[in-house]
């Protein structure tokens, strides 16, 4: 008998540009809603309708949670859907003579129409509400995560600011889900020695660590990566299982690479004549993904087969059964070498399911169905899907281990977020954190306009800390946008810093900025104080 | 596609792209040769980046994949219009741990200090003194140290950490007037082991079986201690 935990981490940075009529990067959210979040909710609805028991853990970053409820962005999402429905209607006409393509056009037409109904009627423009529904029914255990998804090891010199990232993340969770979270998702599984003290003080019971974060810990864990360990501060760490995860994660050998699945890259935004797709791509005429993808992965060829939804659906279900049975076999092998029942912790980026792997939600659904059916068939099931919180309630952590600095990024540490492409960020963001601390010390008890300005300055510092910007610089994708965002947050902060020093804060400028970034509306700037005595003592030693 | 887009750029823009990609070009290259070298470099960099990324990173990249790589802007002209300060008029140095073997340090020197050194005939250079510390104690107890000469124009450096399970600090020091002038001391960082505590030859079969089932070959970081070596890397 063993346990299996599935954890989906959901995050996007705050991208919201009311100053433009439309903004390309806002599509990150729109695509994620249409391809991942609404399909996942539909999957859960089907399981509930069929009385299939299912339990999984999910985390929602405060920035994504905000956007999933933001009237302004959801209005724009509404426009995105209307535009895609218009394109689907054009596609229905264009593909009329080709039954195989036509039914795909029909599929997209139906999907976008369902999205529109779900957005406006089912969820009344609050998509997070859908997940809250399943959280309240015990199907989803929701974890909190850092306020702006900062890669915390790169801010370890600023414990008070890390504390704000953690506490604010927890407060957002409480506001969104009405409960105190037991678990805390460390962005990018980024852990450093001592972080657990901040988590413990914030009332967190557990976090998920990279596998080597626990394996390389002190002492070596007796259960390897197959049991949570207790840190000296009393917070449990669930090590990520890398063995079974490769069956899903790997883009070359994992399930998502199967030739029958829908190809991520082929899209009519690139394949069809520019004049035809122009109303549905970037306003500057730059070709982008429209979401209309008609081809299967097929193989390492440009000559792709047309996508067959039924074949892909059947393969996803087959792969889910395979995953379940392979996990069960793995548990059997582990039972021979472990002193206690193993637990396999499988965290994934939520957008793997649907956005990157179109059939991912079907795979998940089938996984829960096969687990439930196996449980019914056997008097003593060999593998049970559970959540970290429930596991801790039933079994607790296995032993005390001090984990070590780690992440789930390439090469296992901070390199993705600290290399030649992005290291320039830290000089400035760290400086802004220090200056924010200085502002708190200089203006401890401000009200009115000054207080608003200080709160906005704190917001800008936090937004500049997001892990996404250095990640994008490292990945070399939309580098100008990431660079611009970091610079803008720093510039906005500096504007407040200078204006407060010179006593000339402009109301209009401040109001416009508050409207642009209305997240963390109750943030109190005084929380951004620095641990001055300890820091100074440390620095002058 | 990259080649087509490069061909649309002026020679001046091509040279800018080359410089932004760290490509040193021979001065007498013609336009076609510049395009050839740039196209090769961009492709090579992309392939290298892709192969080095872990699967978790590859999946995350898809979140931001609105544009094909070939369509992404080649230069950063608009962004570079937003200027950040070159220095913050304080003398300080910070140390960040990148992984158990490498740390990143950045520092600031006030304009007054820079000017003083530039104008002094007795200024004999700056260096970083890397201190490996003795345990976690209140007092600064140095176990070992080494020096890295730097230029006044430098402001950051990647430092190879020779020992793991050790703490480090960096001192920013000037040689001026035949004296050593301590300008700033960094925060302390602890470089952990970065591998399993056991060596492969010390593992009993039971432990080895468990580790194999944990999927050691899929870890983001090598499980056993690698032979020491490496080079100091300049930022």
């Amino acid at each position: 008998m063993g346990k299996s935990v599935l954890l989906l981490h959901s995050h996007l940075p705050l991208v919201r540009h009311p100053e433009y009529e439309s903004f390309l990067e806002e599509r990150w959210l729109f695509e994620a809603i249409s391809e991942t979040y609404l399909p996942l909710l539909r999957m859960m609805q089907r399981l509930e309708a069929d009385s299939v028991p299912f339990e999984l853990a999910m985390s929602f970053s405060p920035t994504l949670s905000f956007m999933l409820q933001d009237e302004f962005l959801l209005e724009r999402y509404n426009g995105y859907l209307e535009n895609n429905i218009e394109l689907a209607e054009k596609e229905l006409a264009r593909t009329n003579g080709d039954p195989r393509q036509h039914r795909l056009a029909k599929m997209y037409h139906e999907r976008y129409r369902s999205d529109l109904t779900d957005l406006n009627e089912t969820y009344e423009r609050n998509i997070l509400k859908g997940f809250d529904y399943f959280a309240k029914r015990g199907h989803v255990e929701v974890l909190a995560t850092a306020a702006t998804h900062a890669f915390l090891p790169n801010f370890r010199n600023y414990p008070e600011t890390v504390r704000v990232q953690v506490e604010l993340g927890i407060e957002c969770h409480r506001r969104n889900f009405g409960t105190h979270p037991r678990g805390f998702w460390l962005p990018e599984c980024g852990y450093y020695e001592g972080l657990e003290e901040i988590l413990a003080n914030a009332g967190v019971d557990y976090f998920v660590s990279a596998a080597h974060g626990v394996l390389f810990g002190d002492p070596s864990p007796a259960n390897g990566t197959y049991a949570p360990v207790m840190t000296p501060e009393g917070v449990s760490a669930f090590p990520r299982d890398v063995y079974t995860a490769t069956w899903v994660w790997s883009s070359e050998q994992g399930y998502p690479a199967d030739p029958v699945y829908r190809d991520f890259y082929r899209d009519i935004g690139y394949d069809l004549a520019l004049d035809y797709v122009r109303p549905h791509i970037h306003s500057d005429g730059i070709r982008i993904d429209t979401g209309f993808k008609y081809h299967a992965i097929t193989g390492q060829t440009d000559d792709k087969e047309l996508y067959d939804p039924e074949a892909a659906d059947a393969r996803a279900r087959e792969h889910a059964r395979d995953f379940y049975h392979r996990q069960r076999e793995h548990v059997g092998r582990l039972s021979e070498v472990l002193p206690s029942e193993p637990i396999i912790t499988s965290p994934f980026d939520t957008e793997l399911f649907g956005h990157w792997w179109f059939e991912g939600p079907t795979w998940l659904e089938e996984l829960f169905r096969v687990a439930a059916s196996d449980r019914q068939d056997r008097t003593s099931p060999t593998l049970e899907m559970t959540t970290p919180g429930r596991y801790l309630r039933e079994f607790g952590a296995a032993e005390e281990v001090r984990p070590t600095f780690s992440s789930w990024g390439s090469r296992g540490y901070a390199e993705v977020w600290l290399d030649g492409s992005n290291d320039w960020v830290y000089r400035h963001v760290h400086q802004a954190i220090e200056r924010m601390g200085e502002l708190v010390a200089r203006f401890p008890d401000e009200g009115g306009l000054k207080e608003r300005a200080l709160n906005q300055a704190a917001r800008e510092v936090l937004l500049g800390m997001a892990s996404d910007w250095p990640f994008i610089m490292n990945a070399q994708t939309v580098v100008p946008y990431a660079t611009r965002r970091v610079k803008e947050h720093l510039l906005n902060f500096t504007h407040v810093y200078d204006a407060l020093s010179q006593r000339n804060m402009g109301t209009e400028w401040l109001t416009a900025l508050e409207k642009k970034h209305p997240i963390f509306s109750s943030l109190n700037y005084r929380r951004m104080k620095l641990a001055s005595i300890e820091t100074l003592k440390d620095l002058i030693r | 596609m990259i080649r087509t887009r490069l061909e649309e750029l002026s020679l001046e823009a091509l040279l800018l792209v080359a410089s932004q990609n760290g490509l040193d070009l021979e001065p007498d290259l013609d336009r076609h040769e510049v395009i050839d070298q740039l196209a090769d470099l961009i492709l090579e960099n992309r392939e290298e980046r892709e192969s080095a990324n872990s699967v978790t990173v590859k999946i995350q990249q898809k979140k931001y994949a609105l544009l094909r790589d070939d369509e992404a802007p080649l230069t950063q002209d608009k962004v570079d219009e937003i200027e950040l300060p070159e220095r913050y008029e304080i003398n300080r140095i910070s140390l960040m741990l990148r992984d158990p073997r490498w740390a990143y340090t950045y520092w600031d020197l006030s304009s007054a200090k820079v000017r003083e050194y530039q104008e002094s005939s007795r200024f004999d250079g700056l260096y970083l003194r890397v201190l490996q510390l003795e345990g976690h104690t209140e007092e600064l107890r140095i176990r070992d140290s080494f020096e890295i000469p730097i230029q006044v124009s430098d402001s950051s450096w990647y430092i190879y950490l020779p020992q793991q399970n050790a703490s480090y600090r960096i001192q920013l020091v000037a040689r001026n007037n035949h004296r050593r002038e301590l300008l700033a001391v960094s925060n302390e960082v602890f470089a952990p082991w970065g591998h399993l505590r056991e060596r492969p030859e010390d593992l009993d079969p039971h432990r080895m079986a468990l580790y194999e089932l944990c999927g050691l070959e899929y870890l983001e970081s090598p499980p056993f201690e690698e032979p020491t070596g490496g080079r100091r890397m300049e930022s």
Side-chain angles (χ1 to χ4, degrees):
Chain A
M1 170 103 165
K3 309 279 185 197
S4 176
V5 163
L6 202 64
L7 194 155
L8 307 184
H9 171 57
S10 323
H11 164 67
L12 275 174
L14 180 67
V15 176
R16 187 179 189 276
H17 290 276
E19 72 276 27
Y20 293 99
E21 263 188 39
S22 70
F23 200 82
L24 183 66
E25 280 78 7
E26 286 174 356
R27 290 176 73 107
W28 292 341
L29 175 70
F30 307 157
E31 290 185 2
I33 295 175
S34 274
E35 296 184 353
T36 292
Y37 295 108
L38 289 178
L40 283 181
L41 284 169
R42 287 181 200 126
M43 171 207 83
M44 291 183 198
Q45 285 160 1
R46 287 192 294 272
L47 291 172
E48 188 188 43
D50 293 346
S51 304
V52 176
F54 67 99
E55 277 183 80
L56 76 157
M58 291 186 81
S59 53
F60 292 91
S61 70
T63 46
L64 176 65
S65 301
F66 172 84
M67 294 192 292
L68 289 176
Q69 305 172 87
D70 180 43
E71 207 179 304
F72 168 81
L73 282 172
L74 293 177
E75 174 59 27
R76 284 200 169 177
Y77 174 57
N78 191 80
Y80 164 89
L81 290 176
E82 284 171 350
N83 186 283
N84 273 10
I85 290 167
E86 193 185 308
L87 176 57
E89 281 161 2
K90 276 165 64 177
E91 279 298 277
L92 284 171
R94 185 186 70 84
T95 58
N96 203 16
D98 180 345
R100 289 184 67 202
Q101 284 208 44
H102 189 69
R103 70 179 185 139
L104 291 172
K106 210 170 155 191
M107 176 183 86
Y108 289 119
H109 189 239
E110 280 165 13
R111 277 177 72 102
Y112 288 121
R113 280 166 54 109
S114 301
D115 289 354
L116 201 63
T117 308
D118 281 350
L119 170 70
N120 293 307
E121 292 169 28
T122 316
Y123 302 113
E124 296 168 313
R125 299 206 175 192
N126 181 350
I127 290 160
L128 204 64
K129 198 166 77 175
F131 292 99
D132 185 44
Y133 171 89
F134 289 106
K136 290 206 165 36
R137 275 150 191 78
H139 293 296
V140 179
E141 179 174 301
V142 186
L143 289 79
T145 186
T148 57
H149 211 260
F151 181 69
L152 300 177
N154 284 355
F155 298 96
R156 68 170 92 187
N157 291 343
Y158 302 97
E160 288 305 319
T161 310
V162 171
R163 192 184 304 282
V164 173
Q165 282 276 351
V166 170
E167 290 177 354
L168 205 53
I170 288 174
E171 285 163 26
C172 287
H173 174 100
R174 291 173 70 130
R175 216 171 15 257
N176 290 326
F177 297 100
T179 57
H180 184 85
R182 294 197 65 193
F184 193 90
W185 174 262
L186 299 178
E188 315 294 356
C189 287
Y191 169 84
Y192 63 90
E193 297 84 351
L195 180 55
E196 64 273 21
E197 191 183 329
I198 292 171
L199 297 175
N201 288 336
V204 169
D205 289 341
Y206 71 87
F207 62 92
V208 176
S209 152
H212 59 287
V214 166
L215 278 178
F216 300 173
D218 184 19
S220 292
N223 294 276
T225 49
Y226 294 106
V229 297
M230 177 81 84
T231 66
E233 295 294 333
V235 183
S236 297
F238 283 79
R240 170 178 175 247
D241 176 41
V242 291
Y243 190 97
T244 62
T246 54
W247 307 331
V248 181
W249 272 113
S250 172
S251 53
E252 287 85 29
Q253 302 132 28
Y255 301 129
D258 192 283
V260 303
Y261 288 145
R262 195 187 75 164
D263 190 86
F264 177 81
Y265 298 101
R266 284 292 293 272
D267 187 290
I268 64 167
Y270 295 90
D271 285 352
L272 298 185
L274 191 57
D275 280 346
Y276 178 82
V277 293
R278 196 184 295 277
H280 312 285
I281 57 173
H282 191 282
S283 50
D284 290 348
I286 300 171
R287 289 178 181 272
I288 54 170
D289 286 338
T290 59
F292 288 71
K293 300 168 198 286
Y294 290 160
H295 293 86
I297 292 171
T298 312
Q300 297 281 3
T301 170
D302 286 338
D303 192 16
K304 304 279 185 191
E305 298 280 332
L306 271 185
Y307 180 61
D308 178 350
E310 283 79 29
D313 185 89
R315 187 62 51 85
R317 293 182 191 282
E318 190 186 308
H319 279 159
R321 291 191 290 274
D322 180 70
F323 181 77
Y324 179 80
H325 292 300
R326 283 168 80 176
Q327 272 211 337
R328 209 171 64 180
E329 283 167 17
H330 197 60
V331 160
R333 284 191 296 271
L334 285 166
S335 303
E336 293 168 17
V337 295
L338 285 180
S340 58
E341 193 175 281
I343 174 166
I344 299 175
T345 304
S346 310
F348 298 101
D349 188 305
T350 311
E351 284 195 43
L352 168 68
F353 299 96
H355 182 54
W356 166 234
W357 181 16
F358 188 61
E359 298 77 9
T362 307
W363 180 90
L364 276 176
E365 180 179 340
E366 186 65 12
L367 181 63
F368 288 118
R369 287 185 187 277
V370 71
S373 142
D374 195 44
R375 209 171 161 184
Q376 266 186 345
D377 292 348
R378 293 165 189 264
T379 45
S380 170
T382 52
L383 184 66
E384 188 185 352
M385 308 282 290
T386 186
T387 63
R390 184 149 80 91
Y391 181 90
L392 283 179
R393 274 197 303 277
E394 290 172 3
F395 303 97
E399 58 188 319
E400 188 171 304
V401 171
R402 188 181 289 276
T404 180
F405 168 44
S406 49
S407 84
W408 73 355
S410 308
R411 286 169 286 279
Y413 298 96
E415 195 174 330
V416 172
W417 303 273
L418 180 63
D419 79 344
S421 69
N422 53 33
D423 53 24
W424 63 270
V425 166
Y426 296 100
R427 171 191 309 275
H428 302 289
V429 176
H430 288 173
Q431 182 67 26
I433 290 171
E434 288 181 22
R435 284 184 164 181
M436 189 66 227
E438 181 197 320
L439 288 179
V440 177
R442 279 169 56 202
F443 304 101
D445 196 24
E446 296 298 328
L449 185 66
K450 264 193 189 173
E451 185 178 30
R452 277 173 53 197
L454 286 157
N455 287 339
Q456 191 59 36
R459 246 171 246 134
E460 299 295 333
V461 173
L462 292 170
L463 289 167
M465 292 171 70
S467 66
D468 311 270
W469 315 132
F471 179 92
I472 290 170
M473 292 171 204
N474 174 276
Q476 301 278 305
T477 49
V478 281
V479 180
Y481 181 67
T483 307
R484 175 184 153 178
R485 283 295 301 270
V486 173
K487 287 185 169 184
E488 278 185 357
H489 291 304
L490 289 165
L491 218 61
N492 291 338
F493 168 78
T494 308
H495 187 98
V496 175
Y497 180 82
D498 290 344
L500 284 168
S501 303
Q502 294 156 14
R503 300 172 186 277
N504 64 346
M505 180 59 58
T507 317
E508 207 176 306
W509 176 84
L510 180 62
T511 306
L513 200 56
E514 284 171 334
K515 280 187 181 163
K516 187 177 172 186
H517 298 147
I519 194 168
F520 310 129
S521 53
S522 59
L523 176 65
N524 182 336
Y525 74 90
R526 297 167 190 87
R527 300 171 72 167
M528 298 289 283
K529 67 182 187 299
L530 291 179
S532 53
I533 295 170
E534 287 78 4
T535 308
L536 285 175
K537 199 169 118 191
D538 189 50
L539 286 172
I540 58 175
R541 259 207 290 155
Chain B
M1 185 67 100
I2 277 286
R3 182 172 293 276
T4 316
R5 296 188 62 212
L6 288 171
E7 278 165 0
E8 289 167 0
L9 297 178
S10 66
L11 184 60
E12 194 187 2
L14 286 170
L15 293 173
L16 177 65
V17 177
S19 127
Q20 287 178 347
N21 281 276
L23 183 63
D24 281 333
L25 293 170
E26 302 278 328
D28 52 351
L29 288 184
D30 67 24
R31 198 180 132 76
H32 289 293
E33 287 167 324
V34 172
I35 290 173
D36 281 348
Q37 291 210 16
L38 261 177
D40 287 350
L41 180 79
I42 291 171
L43 198 65
E44 203 177 292
N45 284 349
R46 189 181 299 162
E47 283 170 2
E48 194 182 320
R49 223 170 39 236
E50 276 290 307
S51 63
N53 284 337
S54 67
V55 285
T56 51
V57 167
K58 284 179 186 168
I59 299 298
Q60 283 194 66
Q61 282 175 4
K62 303 294 182 289
K63 286 182 178 185
Y64 312 114
L66 290 172
L67 302 169
R68 296 288 178 259
D69 277 358
D70 291 349
E71 299 284 341
L74 291 169
T75 61
Q76 295 197 36
D77 300 347
K78 284 181 188 168
V79 180
D80 288 342
E81 286 168 10
I82 307 174
E83 292 284 339
L84 293 174
E86 270 182 42
R87 51 172 58 96
Y88 286 98
E89 297 307 329
I90 44 169
N91 299 329
R92 69 111 182 252
I93 183 163
S94 293
L95 185 59
M96 297 172 71
L97 190 64
R98 195 184 78 174
D99 58 55
R101 287 187 187 273
W102 289 95
Y104 171 70
T105 182
Y106 68 85
W107 60 89
D108 269 319
L109 276 179
S110 67
S111 309
K113 214 43 163 169
V114 170
R115 211 163 35 246
E116 179 193 326
Y117 292 148
Q118 281 167 343
E119 289 169 2
S120 167
S121 56
R122 295 185 171 182
F123 174 62
D124 194 25
L126 287 170
Y127 64 92
L128 301 174
R129 187 167 176 234
V130 182
L131 310 176
Q132 186 189 328
L133 306 176
E134 201 78 64
H136 285 291
T137 60
E138 280 294 304
E139 286 175 44
L140 184 63
R141 293 169 61 194
I142 301 167
R143 182 187 293 172
D144 202 357
S145 71
F146 58 91
E147 293 175 1
I148 302 171
I150 53 170
Q151 304 295 316
V152 176
S153 55
D154 291 330
S155 59
S156 64
W157 208 268
Y158 282 91
I159 296 170
Y160 181 73
L161 306 175
Q163 290 288 321
Q164 281 59 60
N165 197 33
S167 295
Y168 292 88
R169 277 180 194 266
I170 313 289
Q171 292 178 331
L172 177 61
V173 187
R175 286 193 188 93
N176 199 19
N177 280 328
H178 308 293
R179 293 177 59 192
R180 290 177 173 213
E181 186 181 356
L182 178 61
L183 296 166
V185 184
S186 79
N187 55 294
E188 184 175 324
V189 300
F190 174 72
W193 284 114
H195 52 79
L196 287 167
R197 270 146 208 281
E198 306 101 323
R199 290 181 304 180
E201 57 271 27
D202 298 335
L203 287 170
D204 63 49
H206 179 269
R207 194 79 186 150
M208 197 62 200
L210 172 62
Y211 281 155
E212 277 174 12
L213 289 168
C214 289
L216 289 192
E217 72 265 41
Y218 304 120
L219 289 181
E220 285 87 5
S221 178
F224 296 108
E225 187 171 10
E226 291 181 315
T228 51
R231 58 193 170 81
R232 293 191 182 138
M233 190 169 72
E234 193 175 328
S235 167

